[in-house]
Structure formats: structure tokens, C-alpha cells
Amino acid sequence: MPRRGQNSTDLEYALAGLSLNTTTSSTEWPSLRRSYTTYYSDMIQQYYTSQRPSAIVTQAREAIIKRIQTLIRNQLPAGQRRSISVECYGGTAYGVDSSKSDLDLVILDNDRPDGLPPNVSVNPRHLPDVYDMHWLADLLERKGFTNVEPIPDASVPIVKFHDPRNSLDIDINCNSQLGLYNTWLIDGYCDIYGPLRPMIYFIKKWAAIRDLNDPSGRGPTEEISLSSYCYALMAVAYLQMRGVLPNLQRETALRRVESSEFWIKKGDWRIHCDTRIGRAPARFRAVDLSLGDALYGWFRYFGYDYDYGHDALSIQQGGVLDFDDLQGSTRHLSRYSGTWRIGSQAEDLKRSFLIVQDPFILSKNVSRFCKNHVIREFRDQCKFTASLMKKGEEVKTLLRTCRE
């Protein structure tokens, strides 16, 4: 096991170290003793329930969202005010948050519901001031928020800030609506399989304790690791593979679903995203799987059976598949010599240690910034946790104990 911070540039060497899948066929799913399964299902559900935000916290969050919306509207010209609204997305919106969770907000521009398609100008003079992260940061600072930091050059420009009234850290962006679509998609899967919410919540807590849930790289190790969104996708993909969840983006699930699209800007490219979300097909018959066995199977799978560097995770394509079978094409348009041309830009989906395809930006690997030794650490922690569960260790031990 390399030291944290060590990075190998030799892909084949790294893949050789990661591909240790010699134990279990993908069709022979390991399970726990029945008593252990019952224990973990009951205790993790109780743990999740005990961590849910109180009504007071929920009301305070709703109030801060309304306050921010009012502050922004009051600073805009009268003709733009009604088109602007603020909504929450992410784990807080689909129910895997706690009273201490941060808040992710998006400013919706209802005059541009499809984002930034090729016929929409991105010239700052043609967009409302709220698209300017420095303008937004200045407004928030003047209104009493602290630790205000605009990050205009991020892949999704945001402002990070702190609400001292509620001791709450908040991220806000302008009209990057894919976060909402991601939220609705995960929420749809959670409604189909009830244990998914406590499962995702537990995985997030488990990862955070091990410094494996820090996509910004601002934590104690200063290492970029997997985001909570990435863990949610990995949970859904695993359950799709087990037959517990359907594919809500498959054509059979999208019948009678109205067209829905969103365009984002990446450099000189405008990227088209099919944002349709369907319902479980009437003929879908889910495999019965308890919360305890689902979690044990997830840790066991990513510790031993997932073929790092060769397989890919894609909930848009129904679970786990070989990298060579991954369909990563997304419609991209680039302005060249005054005209728009269609092109392909799947550079993020080149073969790497862990591939988790974004369900809407098909050319995007959600785990693309994680270095090989971080993925190794994740794999080894999954192995260790699976071994603890196999022995029936207490839930608090799973959350507190990391391997040496």
C-alpha cells in the first residue's frame, strides 16, 4: 500500500495492483448470517433516523433559502426579478442529510430554462448580474454573510459562504440545473428502494471518517477523494446490477415522458444533456434485498469484485459494464469560424482506475480527479469493513475503526 500522497504515473503497474478480483463470481452474491443481516438492517436504519434534521433545522433552512432569494431579487432590475428563484439540491433535497450538513443552492433563471444552448449568448452584457460570481459574492458579504469566496473558474462557478445566524456553510451557483436533475433522479431511485437513503447516508459517513469524502481536497489530508454524489451513483449502480433497481433512463422507462433537455458550457463547447427521467417499467420485478445485505454486498463488491481499470459504473446504462462497452457520446457543439459544428469530447472517459459516468453528461467521469492511491485506499477500506461485517462487529465499530 503506497503512502498517502504517493502517485504512480505507470498505468499498467497501478492497474495490476488494483485488479485483485480472484475471489467471487459476480453471480454468486455473498451474504451475512441472518442474525447479522437483521442487526445491521435495524441498527443502520435507526442510526439514519436519529441523524435526520429536526423540524426546527428544516424550517431554518427553508427560511434562509427564501431570504437569499429575496436579497437577490431586490438587487435586480424589476423586469428580471420574477424570473429568478432559489432552490436546494443534493443530499439535503433527497433526504440523506443531517442537521450539520452543508446546503447546496441553485439560482434558477426561468428565462433560460434550458441553460445555455447555442442560440443563447454567454456575453456578460446579455446575462443578468446574478451570473457574475463576484457580483453575487459582494451582495452576500454586504448582507452579513461571512467567509464569502467566489470561485468563478470552477467547472460549475459557485460562491461559498457561511450563514452565521444558523452556523451553516452554503454553496450557490447560477442556473446550473443539472444538480436538480441529479437530485430528482436519485430521489426517484430512493422512492423505489426504501433502504437506499440510509444506505447512501451510512456510506457517506463511513467515507468521511476515513477522509474519503472530500472532492475539494480541502480536508486534513489535502487529497481529492470521492464526492457524496459519486457514492450515491455507486450505490445505485450496484443495486441495478443486483436487480434491485431498474434503469429510469432506459427507453422503456421513458415512454410517455415529455422531452427534457439542458445545455451547459464547457470552454468553447456547448454540451447537450438529455434530462428525461422515467418511471420503473410495469414489468420490473425487484430482487428482495435487505439494508444489511445491500451494505455488506456493496463493501464486499468494491473491496474484492469490481474490476478497477477495466469496468465502468453507469446508472444511465443500467449498472456495471466493461469500459469498452460504455457509451460515452454526448452531443457537443463548438463555435468555429462563426458557425456551430458537432463534435465529440469524451476525454474524461478515458480508461482510468475508477470510472463513474455522470448520468446526464455522458462524457464525464465523476471520479476523474481522484488519484490512484486514493482509489487503492478506498478499495482496501471496503475490504476491511466487509471483514468487520462478516464477523458481526457493532455498527459503531464500522464507523470508528479504520485498518492500520
Side-chain angles (χ1 to χ4, degrees):
M1 178 67 195
R3 292 176 288 104
R4 296 298 294 265
Q6 182 180 357
N7 181 29
S8 170
T9 58
D10 187 335
L11 178 61
E12 294 304 319
Y13 172 80
L15 294 183
L18 285 166
S19 298
L20 300 176
N21 308 307
T22 59
T23 56
T24 307
S25 165
S26 61
T27 58
E28 299 172 357
W29 299 111
S31 60
L32 296 167
R33 292 182 183 178
R34 182 173 298 180
S35 60
Y36 294 172
T37 296
T38 301
Y39 167 74
Y40 286 125
S41 296
D42 291 347
M43 294 304 296
I44 291 172
Q45 180 65 54
Q46 290 178 29
Y47 173 69
Y48 165 73
T49 302
S50 71
Q51 299 295 304
R52 302 295 296 130
S54 66
I56 294 175
V57 170
T58 300
Q59 292 168 5
R61 289 176 176 173
E62 293 172 351
I64 187 60
I65 293 172
K66 291 181 180 179
R67 180 185 172 213
I68 291 172
Q69 176 177 279
T70 300
L71 292 176
I72 293 172
R73 283 180 171 177
N74 289 344
Q75 294 298 312
L76 294 173
Q80 296 178 3
R81 292 175 185 173
R82 295 186 63 183
S83 68
I84 296 297
S85 60
V86 177
E87 288 197 28
C88 172
Y89 69 94
T92 300
Y94 59 83
V96 296
D97 59 326
S98 70
S99 59
K100 298 180 180 179
S101 296
D102 299 344
L103 201 58
D104 292 313
L105 303 180
V106 55
I107 302 166
L108 299 182
D109 180 358
N110 296 307
D111 286 338
R112 297 165 182 81
D114 297 331
L116 297 172
N119 63 338
V120 172
S121 172
V122 294
N123 188 316
R125 292 177 298 177
H126 300 154
L127 293 172
D129 289 336
V130 74
Y131 280 83
D132 182 345
M133 294 299 104
H134 291 287
W135 179 92
L136 183 58
D138 180 66
L139 169 63
L140 293 169
E141 197 163 34
R142 285 188 285 109
K143 298 302 180 179
F145 295 99
T146 60
N147 301 332
V148 180
E149 179 186 4
I151 310 179
D153 297 326
S155 56
V156 175
I158 63 170
V159 176
K160 302 178 77 70
F161 61 102
H162 181 77
D163 172 25
R165 289 186 185 179
N166 298 291
S167 189
L168 184 64
D169 290 326
I170 304 172
D171 291 355
I172 191 169
N173 72 71
C174 184
N175 212 38
S176 182
Q177 295 187 31
L178 287 185
L180 279 177
Y181 286 107
N182 294 332
T183 298
W184 297 332
L185 181 61
I186 300 298
D187 193 52
Y189 283 117
C190 289
D191 287 344
I192 294 171
Y193 180 61
L196 182 55
R197 287 188 177 91
M199 180 179 178
I200 293 173
Y201 183 80
F202 187 84
I203 291 171
K204 285 172 50 179
K205 290 297 182 181
W206 169 90
I209 289 168
R210 290 158 172 80
D211 297 320
L212 292 172
N213 186 206
D214 182 17
S216 68
R218 297 187 177 195
T221 66
E222 298 183 349
E223 292 277 12
I224 292 176
S225 52
L226 302 176
S227 66
S228 296
Y229 174 54
C230 186
Y231 283 116
L233 295 178
M234 293 170 72
V236 172
Y238 171 76
L239 293 170
Q240 286 177 326
M241 180 181 62
R242 292 289 303 265
V244 177
L245 287 175
N247 180 356
L248 297 183
Q249 294 174 280
R250 191 175 182 178
E251 284 304 320
T252 53
L254 295 174
R255 292 172 183 169
R256 301 178 183 177
V257 174
E258 294 184 3
S259 175
S260 176
E261 64 179 15
F262 195 78
W263 290 81
I264 63 173
K265 182 178 182 295
K266 182 178 180 182
D268 293 331
W269 294 89
R270 304 289 180 92
I271 303 176
H272 173 266
C273 303
D274 181 350
T275 51
R276 292 177 298 164
I277 301 172
R279 297 179 179 179
R283 294 183 179 180
F284 177 73
R285 295 295 179 266
V287 171
D288 186 22
L289 190 67
S290 69
L291 173 57
D293 275 334
L295 265 173
Y296 172 67
W298 190 88
F299 287 121
R300 183 72 171 72
Y301 179 73
F302 285 105
Y304 292 95
D305 298 326
Y306 179 76
D307 196 353
Y308 291 88
H310 297 90
D311 286 348
L313 300 163
S314 171
I315 70 171
Q316 192 267 350
Q317 295 179 56
V320 183
L321 62 162
D322 188 279
F323 174 80
D324 294 330
D325 297 328
L326 187 65
Q327 299 174 11
S329 61
T330 302
R331 186 182 176 198
H332 295 67
L333 298 182
S334 177
R335 194 161 183 82
Y336 180 75
S337 299
T339 60
W340 288 101
R341 61 184 175 87
I342 296 178
S344 108
Q345 186 189 47
E347 58 186 25
D348 288 337
L349 277 180
K350 60 188 177 183
R351 192 183 296 277
S352 59
F353 308 125
L354 178 63
I355 299 168
V356 183
Q357 185 184 47
D358 188 278
F360 297 112
I361 310 174
L362 301 185
S363 60
K364 178 181 177 181
N365 178 11
V366 179
S367 64
R368 65 196 181 281
F369 294 124
C370 288
K371 295 181 180 178
N372 124 27
H373 62 273
V374 175
I375 303 304
R376 281 179 182 263
E377 179 68 10
F378 164 74
R379 180 207 62 185
D380 291 346
Q381 290 289 346
C382 285
K383 284 184 179 181
F384 181 66
T385 302
S387 71
L388 293 177
M389 295 184 74
K390 190 68 174 177
K391 294 185 290 186
E393 296 285 354
E394 293 184 358
V395 168
K396 64 181 181 181
T397 302
L398 306 185
L399 289 174
R400 294 176 182 173
T401 307
C402 303
R403 69 176 187 86
E404 294 295 331

Short mmCIF file of all heavy atoms in Angstrom, two decimals, residues 160-200:
data_model
loop_
_atom_site.label_atom_id
_atom_site.label_comp_id
_atom_site.label_asym_id
_atom_site.label_seq_id
_atom_site.Cartn_x
_atom_site.Cartn_y
_atom_site.Cartn_z
N LYS A 160 -18.95 30.23 -2.29
CA LYS A 160 -19.02 29.55 -1.00
C LYS A 160 -19.14 30.61 0.08
O LYS A 160 -18.44 31.63 0.04
CB LYS A 160 -17.75 28.70 -0.77
CG LYS A 160 -17.50 27.65 -1.84
CD LYS A 160 -16.21 26.90 -1.58
CE LYS A 160 -16.38 25.89 -0.48
NZ LYS A 160 -17.24 24.75 -0.87
N PHE A 161 -20.01 30.38 1.07
CA PHE A 161 -20.17 31.37 2.13
C PHE A 161 -20.75 30.71 3.37
O PHE A 161 -21.16 29.53 3.34
CB PHE A 161 -21.03 32.55 1.68
CG PHE A 161 -22.43 32.20 1.26
CD1 PHE A 161 -23.50 32.43 2.10
CD2 PHE A 161 -22.69 31.68 -0.01
CE1 PHE A 161 -24.81 32.14 1.72
CE2 PHE A 161 -23.99 31.38 -0.41
CZ PHE A 161 -25.04 31.61 0.46
N HIS A 162 -20.79 31.46 4.45
CA HIS A 162 -21.26 30.95 5.74
C HIS A 162 -22.39 31.83 6.25
O HIS A 162 -22.32 33.06 6.19
CB HIS A 162 -20.11 30.92 6.74
CG HIS A 162 -20.49 30.38 8.09
ND1 HIS A 162 -20.65 29.03 8.34
CD2 HIS A 162 -20.75 31.02 9.27
CE1 HIS A 162 -20.98 28.86 9.60
NE2 HIS A 162 -21.05 30.04 10.19
N ASP A 163 -23.43 31.17 6.77
CA ASP A 163 -24.55 31.89 7.38
C ASP A 163 -24.34 31.86 8.89
O ASP A 163 -24.56 30.83 9.54
CB ASP A 163 -25.87 31.21 7.01
CG ASP A 163 -27.04 31.79 7.78
OD1 ASP A 163 -26.93 32.96 8.21
OD2 ASP A 163 -28.05 31.08 7.97
N PRO A 164 -23.92 32.99 9.50
CA PRO A 164 -23.63 32.99 10.95
C PRO A 164 -24.89 32.83 11.81
O PRO A 164 -24.80 32.36 12.94
CB PRO A 164 -22.98 34.36 11.18
CG PRO A 164 -23.42 35.20 10.04
CD PRO A 164 -23.61 34.28 8.88
N ARG A 165 -26.04 33.18 11.29
CA ARG A 165 -27.28 33.05 12.06
C ARG A 165 -27.56 31.58 12.40
O ARG A 165 -27.99 31.25 13.50
CB ARG A 165 -28.47 33.60 11.27
CG ARG A 165 -28.51 35.10 11.11
CD ARG A 165 -29.82 35.48 10.43
NE ARG A 165 -29.89 36.90 10.12
CZ ARG A 165 -30.93 37.48 9.51
NH1 ARG A 165 -31.98 36.75 9.18
NH2 ARG A 165 -30.91 38.77 9.24
N ASN A 166 -27.33 30.71 11.41
CA ASN A 166 -27.66 29.30 11.57
C ASN A 166 -26.43 28.40 11.60
O ASN A 166 -26.57 27.17 11.59
CB ASN A 166 -28.59 28.85 10.43
CG ASN A 166 -29.89 29.60 10.42
OD1 ASN A 166 -30.72 29.43 11.30
ND2 ASN A 166 -30.08 30.47 9.43
N SER A 167 -25.24 29.02 11.62
CA SER A 167 -23.99 28.27 11.60
C SER A 167 -24.00 27.24 10.47
O SER A 167 -23.80 26.04 10.67
CB SER A 167 -23.77 27.57 12.95
OG SER A 167 -22.48 27.01 13.00
N LEU A 168 -24.20 27.75 9.26
CA LEU A 168 -24.43 26.89 8.11
C LEU A 168 -23.51 27.29 6.95
O LEU A 168 -23.46 28.46 6.58
CB LEU A 168 -25.90 27.00 7.67
CG LEU A 168 -26.40 26.11 6.54
CD1 LEU A 168 -26.32 24.64 6.95
CD2 LEU A 168 -27.84 26.48 6.18
N ASP A 169 -22.79 26.32 6.39
CA ASP A 169 -21.97 26.56 5.20
C ASP A 169 -22.83 26.31 3.96
O ASP A 169 -23.57 25.31 3.88
CB ASP A 169 -20.75 25.64 5.18
CG ASP A 169 -19.73 26.01 6.24
OD1 ASP A 169 -19.60 27.21 6.53
OD2 ASP A 169 -19.08 25.10 6.79
N ILE A 170 -22.69 27.20 2.98
CA ILE A 170 -23.57 27.16 1.80
C ILE A 170 -22.73 27.33 0.53
O ILE A 170 -21.80 28.13 0.49
CB ILE A 170 -24.63 28.27 1.87
CG1 ILE A 170 -25.44 28.16 3.17
CG2 ILE A 170 -25.57 28.20 0.67
CD1 ILE A 170 -26.38 29.32 3.40
N ASP A 171 -23.07 26.57 -0.50
CA ASP A 171 -22.56 26.78 -1.85
C ASP A 171 -23.73 27.18 -2.73
O ASP A 171 -24.82 26.61 -2.62
CB ASP A 171 -21.94 25.50 -2.43
CG ASP A 171 -20.64 25.10 -1.76
OD1 ASP A 171 -20.16 25.87 -0.90
OD2 ASP A 171 -20.10 24.03 -2.09
N ILE A 172 -23.51 28.15 -3.62
CA ILE A 172 -24.58 28.58 -4.51
C ILE A 172 -24.03 28.78 -5.92
O ILE A 172 -22.91 29.27 -6.09
CB ILE A 172 -25.26 29.87 -3.98
CG1 ILE A 172 -26.54 30.16 -4.75
CG2 ILE A 172 -24.31 31.05 -4.02
CD1 ILE A 172 -27.41 31.25 -4.11
N ASN A 173 -24.79 28.36 -6.93
CA ASN A 173 -24.42 28.60 -8.32
C ASN A 173 -25.59 29.23 -9.05
O ASN A 173 -26.70 29.31 -8.50
CB ASN A 173 -23.99 27.29 -9.01
CG ASN A 173 -25.16 26.36 -9.28
OD1 ASN A 173 -26.00 26.62 -10.15
ND2 ASN A 173 -25.23 25.25 -8.54
N CYS A 174 -25.35 29.65 -10.27
CA CYS A 174 -26.42 30.27 -11.04
C CYS A 174 -26.82 29.39 -12.23
O CYS A 174 -26.03 29.21 -13.16
CB CYS A 174 -26.01 31.66 -11.53
SG CYS A 174 -27.36 32.51 -12.39
N ASN A 175 -28.00 28.86 -12.16
CA ASN A 175 -28.67 28.16 -13.26
C ASN A 175 -27.96 26.91 -13.75
O ASN A 175 -28.18 26.48 -14.89
CB ASN A 175 -28.92 29.11 -14.45
CG ASN A 175 -30.20 28.75 -15.20
OD1 ASN A 175 -31.20 28.36 -14.59
ND2 ASN A 175 -30.16 28.86 -16.51
N SER A 176 -27.12 26.32 -12.91
CA SER A 176 -26.55 25.01 -13.26
C SER A 176 -27.55 23.95 -12.79
O SER A 176 -27.41 23.36 -11.73
CB SER A 176 -25.18 24.82 -12.59
OG SER A 176 -24.62 23.58 -12.97
N GLN A 177 -28.55 23.72 -13.61
CA GLN A 177 -29.71 22.94 -13.18
C GLN A 177 -29.48 21.44 -13.19
O GLN A 177 -30.33 20.68 -12.72
CB GLN A 177 -30.92 23.28 -14.05
CG GLN A 177 -31.39 24.71 -13.88
CD GLN A 177 -32.69 24.98 -14.62
OE1 GLN A 177 -33.54 24.09 -14.79
NE2 GLN A 177 -32.86 26.21 -15.06
N LEU A 178 -28.35 20.97 -13.69
CA LEU A 178 -28.10 19.52 -13.68
C LEU A 178 -28.08 18.98 -12.25
O LEU A 178 -28.41 17.82 -12.02
CB LEU A 178 -26.81 19.19 -14.40
CG LEU A 178 -26.85 19.32 -15.93
CD1 LEU A 178 -25.53 18.85 -16.53
CD2 LEU A 178 -28.01 18.54 -16.53
N GLY A 179 -27.67 19.83 -11.29
CA GLY A 179 -27.72 19.40 -9.89
C GLY A 179 -29.14 19.04 -9.46
O GLY A 179 -29.36 18.10 -8.70
N LEU A 180 -30.11 19.79 -9.97
CA LEU A 180 -31.51 19.48 -9.68
C LEU A 180 -31.94 18.18 -10.33
O LEU A 180 -32.61 17.34 -9.72
CB LEU A 180 -32.42 20.62 -10.16
CG LEU A 180 -32.55 21.84 -9.25
CD1 LEU A 180 -33.43 22.88 -9.93
CD2 LEU A 180 -33.13 21.46 -7.90
N TYR A 181 -31.56 18.00 -11.61
CA TYR A 181 -31.93 16.76 -12.30
C TYR A 181 -31.27 15.56 -11.62
O TYR A 181 -31.89 14.49 -11.49
CB TYR A 181 -31.52 16.85 -13.77
CG TYR A 181 -32.41 17.75 -14.59
CD1 TYR A 181 -31.97 19.00 -15.02
CD2 TYR A 181 -33.71 17.36 -14.91
CE1 TYR A 181 -32.80 19.84 -15.76
CE2 TYR A 181 -34.54 18.19 -15.66
CZ TYR A 181 -34.08 19.43 -16.08
OH TYR A 181 -34.90 20.25 -16.80
N ASN A 182 -30.02 15.70 -11.21
CA ASN A 182 -29.35 14.62 -10.47
C ASN A 182 -30.13 14.29 -9.20
O ASN A 182 -30.29 13.11 -8.84
CB ASN A 182 -27.92 15.03 -10.11
CG ASN A 182 -27.04 15.18 -11.32
OD1 ASN A 182 -27.25 14.56 -12.35
ND2 ASN A 182 -26.02 16.03 -11.21
N THR A 183 -30.58 15.33 -8.52
CA THR A 183 -31.33 15.15 -7.27
C THR A 183 -32.64 14.41 -7.53
O THR A 183 -33.00 13.47 -6.82
CB THR A 183 -31.62 16.51 -6.63
OG1 THR A 183 -30.38 17.15 -6.30
CG2 THR A 183 -32.47 16.37 -5.38
N TRP A 184 -33.37 14.83 -8.56
CA TRP A 184 -34.64 14.17 -8.88
C TRP A 184 -34.42 12.71 -9.27
O TRP A 184 -35.23 11.85 -8.93
CB TRP A 184 -35.34 14.93 -10.00
CG TRP A 184 -35.72 16.33 -9.62
CD1 TRP A 184 -36.00 16.79 -8.36
CD2 TRP A 184 -35.84 17.46 -10.49
NE1 TRP A 184 -36.30 18.14 -8.40
CE2 TRP A 184 -36.21 18.58 -9.69
CE3 TRP A 184 -35.69 17.66 -11.86
CZ2 TRP A 184 -36.42 19.85 -10.22
CZ3 TRP A 184 -35.89 18.92 -12.40
CH2 TRP A 184 -36.26 20.00 -11.58
N LEU A 185 -33.32 12.44 -9.98
CA LEU A 185 -33.04 11.07 -10.40
C LEU A 185 -32.74 10.18 -9.19
O LEU A 185 -33.32 9.10 -9.05
CB LEU A 185 -31.86 11.06 -11.38
CG LEU A 185 -31.45 9.70 -11.94
CD1 LEU A 185 -32.60 9.06 -12.72
CD2 LEU A 185 -30.21 9.84 -12.83
N ILE A 186 -31.84 10.64 -8.31
CA ILE A 186 -31.51 9.84 -7.11
C ILE A 186 -32.73 9.70 -6.22
O ILE A 186 -32.99 8.63 -5.66
CB ILE A 186 -30.35 10.50 -6.33
CG1 ILE A 186 -29.09 10.61 -7.21
CG2 ILE A 186 -30.05 9.70 -5.07
CD1 ILE A 186 -28.53 9.28 -7.66
N ASP A 187 -33.51 10.77 -6.11
CA ASP A 187 -34.71 10.72 -5.29
C ASP A 187 -35.70 9.69 -5.84
O ASP A 187 -36.36 8.97 -5.07
CB ASP A 187 -35.37 12.10 -5.26
CG ASP A 187 -36.44 12.22 -4.19
OD1 ASP A 187 -36.16 11.91 -3.02
OD2 ASP A 187 -37.57 12.62 -4.53
N GLY A 188 -35.78 9.58 -7.16
CA GLY A 188 -36.65 8.59 -7.77
C GLY A 188 -36.23 7.17 -7.42
O GLY A 188 -37.07 6.31 -7.12
N TYR A 189 -34.92 6.92 -7.43
CA TYR A 189 -34.43 5.60 -7.05
C TYR A 189 -34.68 5.33 -5.56
O TYR A 189 -35.00 4.20 -5.17
CB TYR A 189 -32.95 5.47 -7.37
CG TYR A 189 -32.66 5.26 -8.84
CD1 TYR A 189 -31.94 6.19 -9.58
CD2 TYR A 189 -33.11 4.12 -9.49
CE1 TYR A 189 -31.68 6.00 -10.94
CE2 TYR A 189 -32.87 3.92 -10.84
CZ TYR A 189 -32.15 4.86 -11.56
OH TYR A 189 -31.91 4.66 -12.90
N CYS A 190 -34.52 6.35 -4.74
CA CYS A 190 -34.78 6.19 -3.30
C CYS A 190 -36.24 5.84 -3.04
O CYS A 190 -36.55 5.07 -2.12
CB CYS A 190 -34.41 7.46 -2.54
SG CYS A 190 -32.64 7.79 -2.42
N ASP A 191 -37.14 6.39 -3.82
CA ASP A 191 -38.56 6.09 -3.63
C ASP A 191 -38.89 4.66 -4.03
O ASP A 191 -39.84 4.06 -3.51
CB ASP A 191 -39.41 7.07 -4.44
CG ASP A 191 -39.43 8.47 -3.84
OD1 ASP A 191 -39.05 8.61 -2.66
OD2 ASP A 191 -39.80 9.42 -4.56
N ILE A 192 -38.12 4.10 -4.98
CA ILE A 192 -38.35 2.72 -5.40
C ILE A 192 -37.82 1.73 -4.37
O ILE A 192 -38.47 0.74 -4.04
CB ILE A 192 -37.69 2.47 -6.77
CG1 ILE A 192 -38.38 3.30 -7.86
CG2 ILE A 192 -37.73 0.98 -7.14
CD1 ILE A 192 -37.67 3.29 -9.19
N TYR A 193 -36.63 2.01 -3.83
CA TYR A 193 -35.99 1.11 -2.87
C TYR A 193 -35.78 1.87 -1.57
O TYR A 193 -34.84 2.66 -1.44
CB TYR A 193 -34.67 0.59 -3.44
CG TYR A 193 -33.91 -0.35 -2.53
CD1 TYR A 193 -34.46 -1.56 -2.11
CD2 TYR A 193 -32.62 -0.04 -2.09
CE1 TYR A 193 -33.76 -2.42 -1.28
CE2 TYR A 193 -31.90 -0.90 -1.27
CZ TYR A 193 -32.48 -2.09 -0.86
OH TYR A 193 -31.79 -2.95 -0.03
N GLY A 194 -36.66 1.67 -0.61
CA GLY A 194 -36.65 2.43 0.63
C GLY A 194 -35.32 2.44 1.37
O GLY A 194 -34.92 3.49 1.90
N PRO A 195 -34.59 1.31 1.45
CA PRO A 195 -33.31 1.31 2.18
C PRO A 195 -32.20 2.12 1.53
O PRO A 195 -31.13 2.27 2.12
CB PRO A 195 -32.92 -0.18 2.21
CG PRO A 195 -34.20 -0.92 2.04
CD PRO A 195 -35.02 -0.07 1.12
N LEU A 196 -32.44 2.67 0.32
CA LEU A 196 -31.35 3.38 -0.37
C LEU A 196 -30.92 4.64 0.38
O LEU A 196 -29.73 4.94 0.44
CB LEU A 196 -31.78 3.73 -1.80
CG LEU A 196 -30.72 4.44 -2.66
CD1 LEU A 196 -29.42 3.66 -2.72
CD2 LEU A 196 -31.27 4.69 -4.07
N ARG A 197 -31.85 5.38 0.96
CA ARG A 197 -31.47 6.60 1.68
C ARG A 197 -30.54 6.29 2.87
O ARG A 197 -29.46 6.89 2.97
CB ARG A 197 -32.70 7.38 2.12
CG ARG A 197 -33.42 8.07 0.96
CD ARG A 197 -34.53 9.00 1.46
NE ARG A 197 -35.15 9.71 0.35
CZ ARG A 197 -36.22 9.27 -0.32
NH1 ARG A 197 -36.78 8.12 0.03
NH2 ARG A 197 -36.72 9.95 -1.33
N PRO A 198 -30.93 5.38 3.79
CA PRO A 198 -29.98 5.07 4.87
C PRO A 198 -28.69 4.44 4.36
O PRO A 198 -27.64 4.63 4.97
CB PRO A 198 -30.77 4.10 5.77
CG PRO A 198 -31.93 3.65 4.97
CD PRO A 198 -32.24 4.75 4.01
N MET A 199 -28.76 3.71 3.27
CA MET A 199 -27.55 3.12 2.69
C MET A 199 -26.57 4.21 2.24
O MET A 199 -25.39 4.19 2.57
CB MET A 199 -27.92 2.22 1.52
CG MET A 199 -26.74 1.55 0.83
SD MET A 199 -27.32 0.48 -0.52
CE MET A 199 -25.73 -0.10 -1.16
N ILE A 200 -27.07 5.18 1.46
CA ILE A 200 -26.21 6.27 1.00
C ILE A 200 -25.69 7.09 2.18
O ILE A 200 -24.51 7.46 2.22
CB ILE A 200 -26.97 7.17 0.01
CG1 ILE A 200 -27.29 6.41 -1.29
CG2 ILE A 200 -26.16 8.43 -0.32
CD1 ILE A 200 -28.18 7.18 -2.25
#
